[in-house]
Amino acid sequence: MRKLLLQSAFLAVACLAARAQNTNSVSRPDYQSFKIIADRNIFDPNRSPRSAGRTEPRKAAQVESFALVGTLSYEKGTFAFFDGTDSSYRKALKAGDSIAGYKIAEITADGVKLEAEGKQVELNVGMQMKKQDESEWQLAGNAES
């Protein structure tokens, strides 16, 4: 009996020693162990919140705008200066020229009159016109800095 008890104790110690050796072995972690760092990188500038219900990304609305930044009258004529979200809106124009589908009907010291499709819009210096996606141009008040 004593011999059986001694053998059982020896076997238990041998199993524990073998198990301890397996858990203390140095193994090299694979890429999958660290994949979460790349997937949830808080420093990624293109990171977006995860959503379970969304299958395709939402398209951001495209907003275009142009503003009247000033007028100038001198011996070569009277000009209106525009700035906008696109380079085609950044220009100096005289009466009769066009911007964003509007013809410049009149230039005064403090603004311009724009015409398109029989409608007239008065745009004072510092004011802007905006449109979102394919909608029509709207008078939007003061230009944003």
Side-chain angles (χ1 to χ4, degrees), residues 66-71 81 110-112 123-129 139-145:
F66 68 92
L68 177 64
V69 293
T71 62
F81 295 88
D110 58 348
V112 296
L123 190 63
N124 292 327
V125 173
M127 295 184 78
Q128 69 178 341
M129 299 283 286
L139 190 60
N142 292 334
E144 297 169 358
S145 300

Side-chain angles (χ1 to χ4, degrees), residues 23 37-38 61 64 69 75 78-79 85 108 111-112 117 121 129 131:
T23 59
I37 294 171
E64 293 182 65
V69 293
E75 63 268 2
T78 304
F79 294 88
T85 55
T108 63
V112 296
E117 300 173 5
V121 176
M129 299 283 286
K131 80 172 186 173

Side-chain angles (χ1 to χ4, degrees), residues 9-135:
F10 178 73
L11 186 59
V13 169
C15 286
L16 288 174
R19 185 180 297 166
Q21 287 176 353
N22 286 341
T23 59
N24 290 335
S25 65
V26 178
S27 66
R28 187 169 205 162
D30 61 347
Y31 176 75
Q32 289 293 36
S33 301
F34 298 100
K35 188 172 182 316
I36 192 169
I37 294 171
D39 291 344
R40 297 184 185 174
N41 182 0
I42 63 171
F43 300 106
D44 181 2
N46 299 318
R47 180 177 167 224
S48 62
R50 292 192 286 166
S51 175
R54 191 180 298 170
T55 57
E56 62 183 58
R58 288 190 340 203
K59 182 183 172 189
Q62 181 164 344
V63 177
E64 293 182 65
S65 67
F66 68 92
L68 177 64
V69 293
T71 62
L72 174 69
S73 182
Y74 71 114
E75 63 268 2
K76 291 190 178 184
T78 304
F79 294 88
F81 295 88
F82 294 91
D83 191 11
T85 55
D86 188 70
S87 62
S88 64
Y89 305 136
R90 297 179 193 126
K91 49 187 161 183
L93 302 171
K94 55 187 172 183
D97 291 342
S98 295
I99 184 167
Y102 285 92
K103 180 181 171 188
I104 300 176
E106 182 183 347
I107 301 174
T108 63
D110 58 348
V112 296
K113 285 185 183 175
L114 303 174
E115 286 183 354
E117 300 173 5
K119 294 186 223 173
Q120 270 199 347
V121 176
E122 288 191 35
L123 190 63
N124 292 327
V125 173
M127 295 184 78
Q128 69 178 341
M129 299 283 286
K130 276 189 178 182
K131 80 172 186 173
Q132 185 170 340
D133 293 327
E134 298 301 317
S135 65

